[in-house]
Amino acid sequence: MSAAPLHHTGVGAAELLLAAAAIAAALLYAWGADRVRRRGDAWPWHRDAAFTVGAGALAYASTAALPGGPFTAHMGRHLVVGMAAPLLLVLARPLTLAFRALRPGRARRALLRLAHSRPAAWLAFPPAAALLDVGGLWLLYRTPLLAAVQHHPTAHTLLQLHVLAAGVLFAFAVCGLDPVRRRWGPVWRGATLLAAGAAHAVLAKSLYTAPPPGAAVTAADLQTGAQLMYYGGDLVELALAAVIALQWYAATGRDRARRHRRAALPTAPGPGRSPA
Amino acid sequence: MRPGRSLAACALIGAAVMAAIDEIVFHQILRWHHFVDRSTSAAGLVSDGLLHTAELLALVAGFVWYADLHRRRALSPAHARAGLLLGLGGFQLFDGLVDHKLLRLHQIRYGVDLLPYDLAWNGAGLALLATGTVLAFRARRLRDRRGRP
């Protein structure tokens, strides 16, 4: 095979910078949450915990040497940088916190304009986010892209950043927790999760038998890495599904409570249905 | 009471639980199943990926649906039990016939005479499905006797 062997990519300046940025983001988040709480607003602690763990995992995965062969370690890094850490960061509702923590002014107005802009709405449309995320993975593993970026540190860094950004965008669109121009219902988000999860599973199974073009990977390393991708993806998909399902549970509970209150009023304006 | 929904929610849970048992016991612990067979067609892989993800989502959706019925006091326990068995058996039989035989994604075990394994797998699925059907009819009779609420 005249392919370039996939090797452990060393920790360069870019990786250290990414780790430093993740830690800085965690500190910024803690500062914002503190500001909101000092004002007397409630901001649950589990959100701080999610953001801190997510940022910590991101910093760790981008700098530490992960266990396993080169391909398995590469896949483990992608799982953390592209799926697990983004989910944790999104669960912390960073955009909501930013709107609450920023004082009215130029920065807050600019952020609001950005969040409510049309391009942001297109990106946060769940199928579009899924296409950018899983489509990018298919390009990476089913074209010679992976082998090509191995020897270009800049391209490699850009790729890591794309994996992170696309992962955050996908989790953001599927969870639908932060306020953007348009919110999509559980059916859109669930169907997107189904399609993206299926594409992820098919890619993982195809990697088990055929390595990315141009990358020399030992069979054992390839198979371990492919299974890590498959089952690791499952865990994150389960968590994303749980987020959508619990939102639905809470929303239907609120709706029902509201209907009951209306029905209990002597001159109820609503239809006043009794429980099923 | 929502007997139909009680049955459907638990059938979803049952199918997903059997899929998880298959994945954990036969793929991971016994390592009888292959992760994927080289000869599997692209269509087979795609349907496998869709089904696998659908099972994950079904597990979550089933539990939340069940919790919602429970919260509304709309759960019919007899129908729920029947649904669980129907889901368990339904998935097993589907896996045995469609995944193993029709799509040929993987076989139960390799290097052995498959017939007894296939008979045991599909037979067990059929038995679960038959028990679920009997329970569903009994649940309906029970409800008719008590009078529809």
Side-chain angles (χ1 to χ4, degrees), chain A residues 136-263:
Chain A
L137 280 186
W138 274 86
L139 278 184
L140 179 62
Y141 294 122
R142 281 289 158 250
T143 66
L145 188 62
L146 182 67
V149 300
Q150 279 298 308
H151 302 288
H152 294 89
T154 317
H156 192 260
T157 306
L158 284 177
L159 188 75
Q160 288 281 90
L161 286 179
H162 168 81
V163 167
L164 172 64
V168 169
L169 180 66
F170 180 69
F172 184 91
V174 167
C175 291
L177 292 167
D178 274 325
V180 279
R181 191 186 184 95
R182 162 142 199 204
R183 294 208 165 181
W184 297 91
V187 174
W188 272 100
R189 294 182 284 132
T192 302
L193 183 59
L194 175 64
H200 192 266
V202 171
L203 183 59
K205 284 213 168 173
S206 87
L207 281 172
Y208 188 85
T209 47
V217 187
T218 62
D221 189 17
L222 183 71
Q223 292 179 358
T224 313
Q227 292 198 51
L228 179 63
M229 179 179 180
Y230 189 78
Y231 292 114
D234 281 1
L235 289 182
V236 178
E237 280 153 26
L238 268 177
L240 286 167
V243 171
I244 301 177
L246 291 176
Q247 281 172 354
W248 173 83
Y249 186 78
T252 47
R254 280 196 300 272
D255 279 357
R256 202 164 294 132
R258 197 176 304 128
R259 278 209 305 273
H260 281 210
R261 278 200 303 277
R262 286 211 184 123

Side-chain angles (χ1 to χ4, degrees), chain A residues 193-194 197-198 202 205 208-209 227 230-231 234 237-238 241 245 248-249 252-253 256 276, chain B residues 2 23 28 35-36 38 45-46 48-50 52-54 56-57 60 64 67-68 71-72:
Chain A
L193 183 59
L194 175 64
V202 171
K205 284 213 168 173
Y208 188 85
T209 47
Q227 292 198 51
Y230 189 78
Y231 292 114
D234 281 1
E237 280 153 26
L238 268 177
W248 173 83
Y249 186 78
T252 47
R256 202 164 294 132
Chain B
R2 305 302 291 256
E23 198 79 39
Q28 293 302 315
F35 188 61
V36 59
R38 235 167 244 281
L45 264 185
V46 171
D48 180 57
L50 262 177
H52 178 73
T53 311
L56 289 179
L57 301 194
V60 175
V64 173
D68 184 56
R71 168 172 77 173
R72 295 160 55 185

